[in-house]
Amino acid sequence: MANPKRRFSKARTAKRRAQWKLTLPSINQCPHCHHVKMPHRICPNCGYYKGRQVVKVEAE
C-alpha cells in the first residue's frame, strides 16, 4: 500500500480542513399555504406538492 514520502505540514493540513464546513439547507415557501418547507418535498403544513394534495394533514 502507498505511504506518504514526507510528513504533511500543519499549514497544509489546516488549508485542507478549512474547506470542510457545513452548508445550510435551502428553504422555500409552499406556494399553497406559504409555510416554510424544503424543496422537492411535501409541505408538512398542508400536504401539497406541485399544486395537488398528496397527503391528508389532520387539523390541530
Side-chain angles (χ1 to χ4, degrees):
M1 189 165 163
N3 288 323
K5 199 162 239 187
R6 304 213 185 282
R7 179 181 175 184
F8 281 114
S9 68
K10 293 174 188 171
R12 184 174 291 272
T13 305
K15 282 181 200 173
R16 185 181 69 245
R17 288 183 182 156
Q19 304 303 318
W20 193 77
K21 54 191 168 282
L22 294 174
T23 56
L24 291 173
S26 59
I27 295 174
N28 293 343
Q29 275 190 345
C30 173
H32 189 258
C33 68
H34 304 291
H35 192 262
V36 178
K37 71 173 192 75
M38 291 182 72
H40 306 286
R41 308 260 187 318
I42 298 169
C43 178
N45 190 43
C46 65
Y48 273 72
Y49 181 69
K50 288 193 175 182
R52 63 188 181 94
Q53 190 168 13
V54 181
V55 177
K56 288 186 180 180
V57 180
E58 296 175 4
E60 291 181 10

